[in-house]
Amino acid sequence: FFGLVDATALHPLKFRPVAGLVQTLLTPLEWLGANCILFFVLSDCCGVLSFGLESINWGHPYHKNNIVAWFQNAVLMDWLGLGSGCGGAYEHCGPALMVYVWIEIL
């Protein structure tokens, strides 16, 4: 990658279009490297994002009345219909759990 991006130093006019294209394609990786701590925190591998989202709650019990539980139960189970064959419990519903995991990964 380094050779392609810095090829303009060897032949400035010949490789300039290729180097510009490679630089554009590699911009997301540059952003990721420059913001690696932010990516680590937001990737939910340390639990900061989940903690922050679960701190938005209402009513009692707090662990069941927060924005994450609302998304899991209302959006995944009811609106998308993933809980139709699960008996109503999110914790025991394979399709809803898988969709939530894929959303977390993305």
Side-chain angles (χ1 to χ4, degrees):
F1 295 123
F2 181 75
L4 289 174
V5 173
D6 290 337
T8 56
L10 300 174
H11 300 284
L13 298 175
K14 186 176 182 181
F15 290 113
R16 187 170 303 241
V18 174
L21 176 67
V22 172
Q23 284 177 332
T24 303
L25 293 174
L26 295 179
T27 299
L29 295 177
E30 179 183 358
W31 182 88
L32 183 63
N35 299 298
C36 61
I37 294 175
L38 179 65
F39 181 76
F40 177 76
V41 169
L42 294 180
S43 68
D44 203 29
C45 56
C46 58
V48 172
L49 184 61
S50 288
F51 178 76
L53 288 175
E54 289 175 357
S55 67
I56 301 169
N57 53 46
W58 57 90
H60 191 74
Y62 298 117
H63 66 281
K64 292 191 184 238
N65 292 322
N66 58 46
I67 201 161
V68 175
W70 169 82
F71 179 78
Q72 292 168 342
N73 292 316
V75 176
L76 295 179
M77 298 289 282
D78 297 333
W79 296 356
L80 296 179
L82 297 174
S84 61
C86 299
Y90 170 78
E91 293 80 15
H92 304 294
C93 188
L97 287 170
M98 284 304 299
V99 169
Y100 184 71
V101 167
W102 279 105
I103 290 171
E104 281 187 321
I105 290 172
L106 297 175

